[in-house]
Amino acid sequence: MWILEKRGPSYELARLYLRLGANEGTQGNYEQERLYYHKALSISSTVGSDQGSINALAHLGNFYADYDESSSDIGKYNPYVNYDSATRYYDLAEQLAVKISDKEGMAELTGAKEKLSMMRGKGMNHSRMNLTALNVA
């Protein structure tokens, strides 16, 4: 399903695709979820919305990390789980967050990256957390 908007691509349209993707993921339609997140990223890039791109990249990172706060079945059903891809999308989102001085985004991405690190069996990077805390404050 694609949404047709007379006004053309916009930040709001990208947000709708993120919501559609999240809904598809809840229903276990992971391929469609992934496609909606990429569509949101494409729209955000087209309209030049760094914030929209950060949101789409973070959703893609969460998708590949299979990070969903409402789910306790990490990696059980999502065949796309790929921690390297998750890291890549989180890094891209973090670069944009730094570029636009999105302190809240930086903090959320640092938390997501630390959770991913723990899911990979690695410990927390306290120096990274402290550096982010200093930049956010």
Side-chain angles (χ1 to χ4, degrees):
M1 167 174 34
W2 297 108
I3 299 171
L4 299 177
E5 186 174 280
K6 291 180 183 179
R7 296 178 301 176
S10 65
Y11 173 77
E12 291 78 20
L13 182 61
R15 285 183 45 194
L16 288 172
Y17 277 110
L18 292 177
R19 288 188 192 124
L20 285 171
N23 288 340
E24 292 294 335
T26 300
Q27 297 173 26
N29 300 325
Y30 298 111
E31 174 63 17
Q32 193 62 50
E33 176 184 14
R34 187 178 66 85
L35 291 173
Y36 281 144
Y37 291 160
H38 279 285
K39 182 73 173 170
L41 179 58
S42 174
I43 291 168
S44 295
S45 296
T46 297
V47 300
S49 173
D50 287 337
Q51 188 60 57
S53 293
I54 291 168
N55 292 341
L57 290 164
H59 274 76
L60 282 162
N62 292 343
F63 172 79
Y64 285 107
D66 199 27
Y67 175 61
D68 180 358
E69 291 181 2
S70 64
S71 174
S72 61
D73 297 326
I74 305 279
K76 187 172 183 181
Y77 300 108
N78 183 351
Y80 294 95
V81 172
N82 182 318
Y83 293 156
D84 290 334
S85 292
T87 300
R88 183 173 140 252
Y89 284 111
Y90 286 148
D91 287 344
L92 291 170
E94 187 176 49
Q95 289 171 13
L96 280 177
V98 168
K99 174 185 164 191
I100 66 169
S101 301
D102 178 4
K103 294 181 179 189
E104 183 179 322
M106 286 187 276
E108 288 179 14
L109 288 162
T110 298
K113 289 173 83 170
E114 289 305 320
K115 181 173 177 78
L116 179 62
S117 178
M118 292 183 345
M119 290 167 62
R120 293 180 105 163
K122 299 178 181 176
M124 291 184 76
N125 183 343
H126 293 286
S127 61
R128 178 176 172 73
M129 295 289 282
N130 290 337
L131 182 60
T132 300
L134 290 172
N135 287 329
V136 170

